[in-house]
Amino acid sequence: MVTIPSRRKRATIHDVAVEAGVSRGTVSRVVNDEPYVSASARIAIEAAIEKVGYVPNNAARSLVMQRSEAVGFIVHEPHSLFLDDPNIGGILLGANTVLSRADYQMVSLVIDSQRDTERVARYLSGGFVDGVVIVSARQEDPITRVIEKLRLPAAFVGHPPDLRQLPFVGIDNRASARAITERLMQTGRTRIGMIAAALDRDSGADRLAGFTDALGDRFDPALVARVPLYTFTDGALGMRALLERDPLIDGVFAASDAVAAGAMEALRHAGRTIPGDVGIVGFDDSSWALRTQPHLSTVHQPAFGLGERAAECVLGQLRGEEQPAGGILLETPIVWRDSA
């Protein structure tokens, strides 16, 4: 017969107090890093904590403080895109770096369905996180309304038009798209199209608006291929659609680097050279930009910095600090390489 050892009893503040020969109140002040404890008592308590193996009960502490010491990281994207998109990964790592320094846990929550929306709404309402960073929220997103109702400290990466007064960190997608399209036009391209992705959120809609601004009277709506997501597959589909509409197309602005990489693959299959026959530019300056041949001209999106600033914004709200009106916009320089 196998004997299963009994679970070791968790050491308590009482055990530490007995070992150190002090009151439980004195131990509590040391554990919570409070003043008014003598140096000798502090040394004795720290030694006792080490000896008895005491670990603070953060769950109990959270109930007393009404804080979970956790921040949610909500991504409103398909599961596959959450894993494959380097921008989401960069934003996540930036946020986690800031939260880690502040001793906050980060809880990742992916919304890919109505059921996910309902589940995450219940989770937020349960008080399991003190605040949230939200990526890829859509207009009229029900999670946004839940956050408003709960008055939960939050920072959005991006700026859906119905955010009202909720804080956000982002970039000027419209101005950046206009700038790189104008740079593409300066190479002498005369038939320029766009593969416009993710038009149900502010980033996609604003990039299309910037492209339209740049072309002005030369804009041809027939040379806009609309695709659902910022993916390689959608880029290839969009490029094939543009070639069918106008075989003489000689310039393309792809709404993301992944979309551009897919478009370049479709161009190669069609026997077109890059940049000889078709010049192509992307958006993000992600790992995709250096995986393409030739390397991709693109807009640098500071994904890691966006995550950092969003997390700092949430922590600032938790400390009661006033946040900048109108949100925070980070710079997006053009990175010009060989694809155009």
Side-chain angles (χ1 to χ4, degrees):
M1 180 178 178
V2 178
T3 302
I4 300 175
S6 60
R7 184 177 178 182
R8 183 181 175 185
K9 182 182 176 184
R10 183 185 182 122
T12 65
I13 280 184
H14 176 75
D15 298 325
V16 176
V18 170
E19 180 65 31
V22 298
S23 70
R24 286 187 295 179
T26 303
V27 174
S28 179
R29 285 196 291 276
V30 170
V31 169
N32 293 307
D33 199 26
E34 296 175 2
Y36 310 117
V37 179
S38 68
S40 59
R42 190 176 294 274
I43 291 170
I45 291 167
E46 289 172 350
I49 288 173
E50 182 72 23
K51 183 174 180 179
V52 304
Y54 172 72
V55 177
N57 187 336
N58 288 329
R61 185 182 180 193
S62 294
L63 287 173
V64 174
M65 302 293 292
Q66 293 188 323
R67 286 280 179 90
S68 67
E69 296 185 330
V71 169
F73 184 85
I74 300 175
V75 178
H76 195 150
E77 295 286 8
H79 297 159
S80 59
L81 196 60
F82 178 81
L83 296 173
D84 292 342
D85 190 306
N87 284 310
I88 294 174
I91 295 167
L92 183 150
L93 291 174
N96 188 64
T97 297
V98 169
L99 295 174
S100 178
R101 285 200 297 261
D103 286 331
Y104 269 76
Q105 302 297 327
M106 187 171 73
V107 180
S108 295
L109 304 164
V110 183
I111 298 178
D112 189 16
S113 65
Q114 179 61 34
R115 187 172 183 273
D116 286 341
T117 298
E118 294 168 358
R119 171 181 56 81
V120 171
R122 289 195 300 270
Y123 185 81
L124 298 180
S125 301
F128 295 105
V129 294
D130 298 330
V132 286
V133 172
I134 308 97
V135 179
S136 298
R138 274 66 160 174
Q139 187 171 356
E140 301 300 331
D141 193 326
I143 290 297
T144 301
R145 303 286 80 86
V146 169
I147 290 166
E148 276 188 322
K149 183 177 179 181
L150 295 173
R151 297 184 179 178
L152 196 62
F156 287 74
V157 177
H159 188 224
D162 61 338
L163 274 191
R164 296 190 271 269
Q165 300 302 312
L166 292 175
F168 73 92
V169 179
I171 62 174
D172 191 335
N173 283 284
R174 185 167 186 163
S176 300
R178 181 175 64 246
I180 198 164
T181 303
E182 289 171 345
R183 182 74 179 268
L184 180 60
M185 293 166 67
Q186 290 167 10
T187 66
R189 314 288 167 171
T190 59
R191 294 294 292 162
I192 299 176
M194 179 180 179
I195 305 173
L199 294 171
D200 60 341
R201 69 203 76 166
D202 63 299
S203 61
D206 286 350
R207 291 173 198 181
L208 175 56
F211 173 78
T212 306
D213 292 342
L215 287 173
D217 294 339
R218 292 172 55 186
F219 173 71
D220 182 352
L223 291 185
V224 176
R226 299 166 183 260
V227 297
L229 298 170
Y230 295 126
T231 66
F232 180 96
T233 301
D234 282 341
L237 291 171
M239 191 67 246
R240 286 196 288 269
L242 288 178
L243 288 171
E244 288 176 4
R245 296 175 194 176
D246 187 348
L248 298 180
I249 192 167
D250 61 1
V252 175
F253 169 41
S256 80
D257 292 349
V259 171
M264 292 169 80
E265 184 70 12
L267 285 169
R268 270 189 287 272
H269 277 292
R272 308 301 172 87
T273 62
I274 304 165
D277 295 326
V278 181
I280 186 164
V281 297
F283 200 110
D284 291 332
D285 195 24
S286 66
S287 57
W288 280 105
L290 297 180
R291 288 158 59 185
T292 62
Q293 290 297 329
H295 290 171
L296 184 65
S297 297
T298 185
V299 173
H300 177 74
Q301 177 164 206
F304 192 90
L306 289 168
E308 286 184 310
R309 296 299 295 273
E312 288 166 356
C313 180
V314 173
L315 293 177
Q317 292 171 66
L318 290 170
R319 292 189 294 263
E321 299 169 2
E322 188 172 343
Q323 298 305 305
I328 300 167
L329 293 179
L330 304 188
E331 293 184 358
T332 53
I334 290 174
V335 181
W336 200 254
R337 300 191 178 99
D338 295 333
S339 67

